[in-house]
Amino acid sequence: MNIENTKAQMKKGVLEFCILSVLSGGENYPSEIITKMKEAKLIVVEGTLYPLLMRLKNDGLLSYRWEESTSGPPRKYYKLTPVGEQFLKELETTWNELVDAVKKTIEKH
Amino acid sequence: MNIENTKAQMKKGVLEFCILSVLSGGENYPSEIITKMKEAKLIVVEGTLYPLLMRLKNDGLLSYRWEESTSGPPRKYYKLTPVGEQFLKELETTWNELVDAVKKTIEKH
DNA sequence: ATTAGTACCTTGTATCGCATAGTACTAAAA
DNA sequence: TTTTAGTACTATGCGATACAAGGTACTAAT
């Protein structure tokens, strides 16, 4: 029983929402997404992000294009599809409902 | 890819926090906890709650006592241990940090 | 030729919410 | 007396996902 594990558990499902949110602001490649999340104090590692992006792409929420880079290997730029944008809206509601529910639960007692 | 699954995922780790919060207000037995969570729009089913309580007890965060009931089988009243109270404080911080991080992530882009 | 930096990908593990099924006690209805 | 309904606790197996750890590959500077 440690706080680190709980942190990991609390992230489940939330990362999906955050990543779609970041991409709603425009195209990004994975390493860039990790950096932006880190700036917001939401640490996410590669082993988490890549499978997640793959899943979101396979489910039609994201698309990508390759772009050459002058400072290393080519980058995979991801962006939201219309379906992804719709799903993001639903996730927003879901997240707000959860925050609200938790607030009620911890206040009442 | 459906919203119901994401909801379930988002709950992970959060329920632990909510249950400890409910118990910080005094002794409760499982069915009562489910009712209170439901009132706050946080649906939790038996198959989720009982294993969770078991785990929290085994980790020394909760203790319980049996009490006879006039309307059915005896009830198991759970309450926080000092360790549980300490852990709850840490969870509170963890949850607030997550909410904050998500807010930053979705605002910035 | 080697090293450092950047970027993407895969595999295995642990955890947790949930569906499902089951046990057991009380009390009222048949 | 037997059956049904309500209450309460328990156990098993599944699916989803964050993470650790390790790997591949390209560019540029030493």
Side-chain angles (χ1 to χ4, degrees):
Chain A
M1 203 91 212
N2 62 75
I3 219 74
E4 284 313 312
N5 175 48
T6 303
K7 271 187 189 171
Q9 295 302 329
M10 281 189 178
K11 278 189 196 172
K12 290 191 178 178
V14 177
L15 287 183
E16 194 177 295
F17 170 45
C18 291
I19 287 161
L20 291 177
S21 284
V22 169
L23 290 175
S24 77
E27 282 189 331
N28 280 107
Y29 62 97
S31 303
E32 208 172 10
I33 295 174
I34 290 179
T35 306
K36 288 189 177 175
M37 304 276 274
K38 204 173 286 173
E39 280 169 13
K41 306 281 184 221
L42 233 175
I43 307 300
V44 54
V45 294
E46 292 186 326
T48 300
L49 185 63
Y50 284 97
L52 211 171
L53 289 173
M54 192 87 71
R55 206 177 74 238
L56 294 172
K57 193 217 68 181
N58 289 339
D59 288 340
L61 306 186
L62 297 181
S63 62
Y64 69 82
R65 62 178 179 82
W66 285 100
E67 186 172 299
E68 297 298 320
S69 165
T70 53
S71 63
R75 295 165 176 172
K76 218 169 175 178
Y77 279 86
Y78 283 91
K79 70 171 180 183
L80 285 180
T81 63
V83 178
E85 280 171 26
Q86 181 54 44
F87 196 73
L88 174 58
K89 279 182 196 161
E90 295 181 56
L91 285 189
E92 213 158 328
T93 305
T94 303
W95 171 248
N96 287 331
E97 281 171 358
L98 179 66
V99 172
D100 216 55
V102 172
K103 194 184 279 181
K104 276 183 193 149
T105 311
I106 65 180
E107 272 174 358
K108 244 186 174 174
H109 313 283
Chain B
M1 203 91 213
N2 63 76
I3 217 76
E4 284 313 312
N5 175 48
T6 304
K7 269 186 192 172
Q9 295 301 329
M10 281 188 178
K11 275 191 199 173
K12 291 192 178 178
V14 178
L15 287 185
E16 192 177 297
F17 171 44
C18 291
I19 286 163
L20 291 177
S21 284
V22 169
L23 289 176
S24 76
E27 282 189 332
N28 281 107
Y29 63 98
S31 302
E32 208 172 10
I33 295 175
I34 291 179
T35 306
K36 288 190 176 175
M37 304 276 274
K38 206 174 284 174
E39 279 169 14
K41 305 280 184 223
L42 234 174
I43 308 298
V44 54
V45 295
E46 291 188 325
T48 300
L49 185 63
Y50 284 97
L52 212 171
L53 289 172
M54 192 88 71
R55 205 177 75 240
L56 294 173
K57 194 219 69 183
N58 289 339
D59 289 340
L61 306 186
L62 297 181
S63 62
Y64 68 82
R65 62 179 180 81
W66 285 100
E67 186 171 300
E68 297 300 321
S69 166
T70 53
S71 63
R75 295 166 176 171
K76 220 170 174 178
Y77 280 84
Y78 284 91
K79 71 171 180 183
L80 286 180
T81 62
V83 178
E85 281 172 24
Q86 180 54 42
F87 196 72
L88 174 57
K89 279 182 195 162
E90 295 181 54
L91 286 187
E92 214 158 327
T93 305
T94 302
W95 171 247
N96 287 331
E97 281 171 359
L98 179 66
V99 172
D100 215 56
V102 171
K103 194 183 281 180
K104 277 184 191 150
T105 311
I106 65 179
E107 272 174 359
K108 244 187 172 173
H109 312 280

